[in-house]
Amino acid sequence: MAVLVVPVRPLIAALATAGSTLNGPERAFTGWTAPRGIVAATASAFGGDLVQHGYAGASTILPVVFLVIVATVLTYGLTPVPLARRLKLSPPPA
C-alpha cells in the first residue's frame, strides 16, 4: 500500500495535471487526495471467482482489499486539512 500511496499515485496525478493551470502546491494536493477505488472494486469483483477456480492465495484478496480500504479511508480522511495548511492552500486555523 505504501508504494501505491507515496510514489505511484502522486506521480500519476502529476503527469495527469501537467500543462494544467494548477500550481505546484495544488498539483501536490491533487496527487495526495485524488479519487481512488478502481483497484479495490476490481479485486472485490473477481476475488470470489478466483477462489472458486482454486487459485492459490485467492482467499486472501478480499481481506487484504478490506484492510487497504480501511487504511486509505483513515489516511485520506485525516490528512487533507493538515496538508492543505502545510501547502498554504487554506487559511490557518482561527
Side-chain angles (χ1 to χ4, degrees), residues 16-61:
T17 58
S20 72
T21 59
L22 297 176
N23 63 32
E26 291 168 339
R27 290 177 71 198
F29 188 79
T30 300
W32 184 251
T33 61
R36 295 154 173 83
I38 189 65
V39 173
T42 303
S44 297
F46 294 106
D49 289 341
L50 295 174
V51 170
Q52 286 180 350
H53 287 92
Y55 285 94
S59 62
T60 61
I61 291 174

Side-chain angles (χ1 to χ4, degrees), residues 25 28-29 32-33 79-92:
F29 188 79
W32 184 251
T33 61
T79 60
V81 171
L83 179 62
R85 287 185 185 134
R86 183 179 178 122
L87 295 172
K88 299 182 182 356
L89 296 173
S90 68

